[in-house]
């Protein structure tokens, strides 16, 4: 059921699911194990959804004076991004795990690199993205990180994915880790109509991650409806679920103009355990990025939370990308080709497409032996980013597009053995 309000509650010794649910008059939506309060006092909190019978003060009172943050369960999270091209039937071969070939285009072969492997068979990085891959030095990065993300789980908290798409066969985590929080079941399948709303958004995002780290596993979690919006309770629950089910990286190609305490608590809980969270900056072309990305540069989650904006193939700010002091890095987010529902391929534009470029890069690093602690990875990714402020480039946005444009080769050169 859908709750009107949510509250994130710091745990105390002796708390149980039942005792907290009863105190608030709601349901515990996300729960740490019983020993959590004793083990990690500061980061141990739980999430409760409820329909207020008590006032906020009453809830506070029922929770014996702890510092809690009651908030309305608003539908404030949005995926954003726009579909820009659909390869409607022009893909010659998808199924069977063989190389994807565009009927109408030539296939570019990586100069020196091996062909990336998409689950179940051979796969060539989609040639329409070659300019973008050169921009972020993907070919070199995949040579530096030959495990290609093997053994790394990336949660895609989004509009779901097309679970039947050939591109994802063998590339997903076990079905027991899947969840559709928006639909209230265990099947996070994209729902909708091609070209409308968010249909295809999560499929594109997951497909970008797999082009960068083809051996990583995707954990599909659906929080956005077909219209692209999602509520606080679902986003906060999905983040906690991802951590509990073993995700090492969480991709949030979504954001809100409001700072949700419940979502921020979930992000802080994840990052405290060195789960890396990347979040898109939003697509309104304003000097203020969306939450939770806006909390990436300072605060408790900062070390393991990365905010990501978008640039064009020439490293100029994308016309849609938000910007600001809280933005840490930019990546290419225009016309990014990836799988689309119904066995298709499509390109999308948005900061939503730039974020998974960084998530895939983090998965490449985590698949190798690191020479730095996990909690310095997102910082290193920003620090090694390529300069985008030379000359007059991006002059109007000096210092507001982060430290630069994602450079996966430089990032891996500094972080893996
Ligand atoms: Ca950060």
């Amino acid at each position: 059921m859908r709750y009107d309000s949510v509250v994130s509650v710091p745990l105390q010794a002796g708390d149980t699911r039942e005792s907290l649910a009863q105190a608030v008059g709601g349901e515990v939506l996300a729960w740490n194990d019983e020993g959590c309060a004793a083990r990690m006092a500061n980061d141990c909190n739980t999430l409760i959804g409820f329909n207020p019978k008590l006032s906020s003060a009453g809830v506070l009172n029922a929770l014996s004076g702890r510092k809690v943050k009651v908030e309305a369960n608003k539908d404030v999270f949005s995926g954003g991004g726009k579909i820009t091209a659909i390869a409607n039937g022009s893909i010659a071969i998808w199924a069977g795990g063989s190389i994807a070939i565009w009927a109408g285009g030539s296939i570019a072969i990586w100069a020196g690199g091996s062909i990336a492997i998409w689950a179940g068979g051979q796969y060539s990085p989609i040639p329409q993205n070659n300019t973008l891959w050169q921009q972020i030095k993907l070919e070199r990065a995949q040579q530096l990180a030959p495990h290609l993300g093997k053994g790394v789980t990336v949660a895609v908290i989004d509009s779901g994915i097309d679970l039947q798409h050939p591109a994802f066969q063998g590339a997903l985590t076990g079905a027991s880790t899947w969840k559709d929080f928006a639909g209230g079941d265990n099947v996070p399948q994209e729902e909708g109509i091609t070209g409308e709303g968010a249909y295809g958004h999560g499929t594109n995002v997951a497909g970008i991650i797999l082009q960068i780290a083809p051996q990583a596993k995707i954990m599909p979690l659906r929080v956005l409806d077909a219209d692209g919006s999602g509520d606080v309770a679902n986003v906060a629950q999905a983040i906690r679920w991802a951590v509990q089910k073993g995700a090492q990286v969480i991709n949030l190609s979504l954001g809100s103009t409001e700072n949700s305490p419940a979502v921020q608590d979930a992000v802080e809980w994840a990052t405290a355990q060195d789960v890396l969270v990347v979040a898109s900056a939003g697509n309104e072309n304003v000097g203020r990025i969306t939450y939770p990305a806006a909390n990436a540069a300072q605060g408790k989650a900062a070390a393991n939370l990365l905010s990501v904006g978008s640039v064009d193939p020439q490293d100029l700010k994308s016309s849609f990308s938000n910007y600001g002091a809280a933005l840490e890095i930019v990546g290419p987010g225009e016309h990014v080709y990836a799988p689309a529902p119904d066995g298709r391929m499509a390109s999308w534009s948005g900061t939503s497409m730039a974020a998974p470029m960084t998530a895939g890069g983090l998965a490449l690093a985590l698949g190798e032996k690191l020479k730095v602690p996990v909690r310095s990875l997102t910082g290193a990714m920003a620090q090694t980013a390529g300069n985008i402020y030379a000359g007059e480039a991006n002059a109007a946005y000096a210092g507001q597009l982060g430290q630069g444009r994602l450079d996966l080769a430089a990032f891996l050169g500094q972080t893996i053995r």
Side-chain angles (χ1 to χ4, degrees):
M1 76 174 284
R2 167 132 195 204
Y3 292 96
D4 294 334
S5 300
V6 291
V7 61
S8 200
V9 182
L11 295 184
Q12 294 176 353
D15 284 341
T16 64
R17 288 183 80 114
E18 294 70 28
S19 70
L20 287 174
Q22 200 173 15
V24 179
E27 183 197 353
V28 172
L29 301 177
W31 179 250
N32 315 295
D33 65 87
E34 305 292 337
C36 187
R39 210 172 49 246
M40 10 181 333
N42 288 333
D43 300 305
C44 251
N45 51 46
T46 196
L47 177 72
I48 301 177
F50 63 102
N51 293 314
K53 294 187 196 89
L54 302 169
S55 63
S56 287
V59 170
L60 281 169
N61 196 38
L63 292 167
S64 58
R66 326 174 206 220
K67 251 181 137 177
V68 296
K69 302 153 188 166
V70 176
E71 65 182 298
N73 182 24
K74 290 190 203 162
D75 210 23
V76 288
F77 283 88
S78 164
K82 282 195 174 67
I83 195 164
T84 56
I86 303 166
N88 200 354
S90 66
I91 302 162
I93 306 170
W94 264 120
S98 58
I99 298 170
I101 298 174
W102 286 71
S106 60
I107 196 160
I109 308 287
W110 292 84
S114 58
I115 293 174
I117 299 183
W118 237 351
Q122 284 190 310
Y123 152 75
S124 171
I126 297 170
Q128 275 70 10
N129 291 333
N130 274 357
T131 303
L132 311 182
W133 301 151
Q134 287 161 11
Q135 194 179 3
I136 63 171
K137 316 283 197 304
L138 178 59
E139 181 186 355
R140 178 71 187 134
Q142 291 183 339
Q143 290 167 347
L144 289 169
H147 293 111
L148 302 175
K150 192 172 174 61
V152 181
T153 293
V154 183
V156 173
I157 296 178
D158 212 289
S159 57
I161 68 170
D162 180 8
L163 296 165
Q164 272 72 50
H165 199 293
F168 297 134
Q169 303 317 305
L172 305 180
T173 53
S176 66
T177 66
W178 306 353
K179 190 85 177 170
D180 179 355
F181 293 95
D185 60 42
N186 298 318
V187 186
Q189 174 69 30
E190 291 237 32
E191 293 176 20
I193 297 166
T194 298
E196 289 184 15
Y199 188 59
H201 186 269
T203 296
N204 183 277
V205 166
I208 292 169
I209 293 166
L210 287 175
Q211 289 177 75
I212 291 171
Q215 294 282 14
K217 289 278 196 280
I218 300 294
M219 182 192 297
L221 301 175
R222 181 170 179 261
V223 299
L224 303 176
D225 285 332
D227 68 0
S229 71
D231 68 30
V232 165
N234 287 343
V235 173
Q237 275 185 92
I239 292 168
R240 289 170 176 276
W241 173 281
V243 174
Q244 289 176 322
K245 298 294 180 183
Q248 289 140 287
V249 181
I250 295 175
N251 189 94
L252 296 174
S253 285
L254 50 78
S256 165
T257 56
E258 300 178 25
N259 190 14
S260 157
V263 169
Q264 183 58 20
D265 274 354
V267 169
E268 288 176 6
W269 186 69
T271 53
Q273 296 168 76
D274 279 349
V275 173
L276 307 179
V277 181
V278 306
S280 56
N283 304 318
E284 291 76 39
N285 184 30
V286 296
R288 189 159 175 263
I289 70 174
T290 51
Y291 294 93
N295 293 322
Q298 54 187 6
K300 278 171 78 175
N304 287 334
L305 173 62
L306 184 67
S307 53
V308 189
S310 175
V311 288
D312 75 5
Q314 283 73 47
D315 285 346
L316 296 174
K317 186 187 95 70
S318 296
S319 58
F320 51 78
S321 182
N322 289 351
Y323 52 94
L327 189 54
E328 296 177 306
I329 196 168
V330 290
E334 299 191 21
H335 307 290
V336 185
Y337 282 85
D342 309 315
R344 292 172 174 172
M345 182 146 64
S347 69
W348 283 71
S349 292
T351 58
S352 287
M353 285 68 239
M357 302 252 173
T358 68
L362 294 168
L364 283 181
L366 290 170
E368 309 296 327
K369 283 201 167 63
L370 296 175
K371 60 184 178 191
V372 299
V374 168
R375 64 186 301 103
S376 68
L377 284 178
T378 65
M381 185 171 264
Q383 281 156 20
T384 55
N387 181 17
I388 56 169
Y389 300 112
E392 291 298 298
N394 299 308
Y397 306 102
Q400 298 193 81
L401 296 173
Q403 298 196 52
R405 182 254 313 123
L406 178 66
D407 180 334
L408 288 178
F411 163 62
L412 293 170
Q414 199 166 102
T415 54
I416 64 176
R417 290 191 189 281

